[in-house]
Each structure stands twice: as C-alpha cells, then as structure tokens.
Amino acid sequence: MKIDITREPPTDVYRNRGKYILIAIVLLSLAVCGILLMVYGFVSDTPPSDTLEKAALTLLLGPALIFVYFGGKLRAYIRMNQAEKKELDELCRKHAEIAAYCGQVARQGREPILAEYHACQEWAENENDRRREAEKG
C-alpha cells in the first residue's frame, strides 16, 4: 500500500483488507489440505504413490509461497505497538507535516496503521537527507 503523507489520508484505507484476508484463508486452507494428504500418505496402508506425493507437495508449497506475498500485504493493516507509537509521537514533534497527517487520521476516527507509520518514517528520513544536502551545498 502506498501512503503519501503530504496529501490527505485515504478514507478507504481498509478497502482491500477483506479481500486479502479471504485470499489468505483460502491459501492456508489449501496448504492444510496438502499437510493432511501427507499425513494420510504416512498413516494409511496404501502403497507409496508419486501422484499422492506430488499432489500433497503442490498443495502445500504453491499456496504457501503465494501466502507470503499476501501476508506481507496484510501486515500493512496491523496496529502499531507501543514502541512504534512512541516513535511516531516523536516524529510528530519534530516534523509539522507528520503531525498534520496524524491529525487528519485522528479526525477520521482511527489510529494510524503500520503502513502509515512506515510512510512517516520514510518521509522523515528523506527530509533529514534533504536538510543535510542543503547544509552541504
């Protein structure tokens, strides 16, 4: 998710969250089916089967790899921990733009999410770099 703190915060920040949760649930269900097929292959009295083994591995590894991508997208929506909240408060004190953005988020009746926290961190780092270069040149 791309957040630009120099503009107003998106009002529909949670728009894609439900879709990502549904995709993650489906992918994890497929991976669990792969694990169950593996357990069935170990426990049952059937002779070893390459088809069963390939199906189980495909059901486990394919969805697990795709889940990593969507899990990263879901991570952007989690709430900040106390250390991150303290750091964001400090960034708000140092930078008026970040304080204004956080104020706009608060007016929407919500707390900043992790993606917004990372966007504020990145903006502050870029601003510090610009100030250092301006002092040098």
Side-chain angles (χ1 to χ4, degrees), residues 1-124:
M1 166 185 322
K2 182 69 176 153
I3 303 288
D4 184 7
I5 69 160
T6 59
R7 297 190 177 142
E8 285 190 27
T11 55
D12 59 347
V13 74
Y14 294 107
R15 179 185 62 211
N16 294 326
R17 182 177 177 216
K19 179 174 60 171
Y20 293 148
I21 289 173
L22 180 63
I23 291 170
I25 289 170
V26 169
L27 291 170
L28 285 177
S29 298
L30 288 172
V32 167
C33 287
I35 291 171
L36 291 175
L37 270 177
M38 286 180 185
V39 169
Y40 172 76
F42 291 135
V43 175
S44 71
D45 291 335
T46 60
S49 168
D50 286 340
T51 306
L52 181 65
E53 184 179 321
K54 286 179 184 176
L57 284 174
T58 302
L59 280 174
L60 175 64
L61 296 179
L65 291 174
I66 299 169
F67 175 78
V68 170
Y69 173 76
F70 285 103
K73 293 225 177 248
L74 273 174
R75 183 161 163 57
Y77 293 102
I78 64 173
R79 294 181 183 152
M80 296 183 298
N81 61 34
Q82 290 300 322
E84 292 165 339
K85 286 180 183 180
K86 287 179 184 178
E87 188 175 340
L88 185 61
D89 288 341
E90 189 170 319
L91 288 174
C92 286
R93 279 187 239 109
K94 290 181 181 177
H95 303 283
E97 293 86 353
I98 295 175
Y101 183 84
C102 290
Q104 290 173 348
V105 169
R107 271 180 272 176
Q108 288 182 357
R110 63 179 181 86
E111 290 184 13
I113 59 175
L114 193 63
E116 292 171 321
Y117 165 72
H118 288 302
C120 290
Q121 268 187 327
E122 183 179 330
W123 187 89

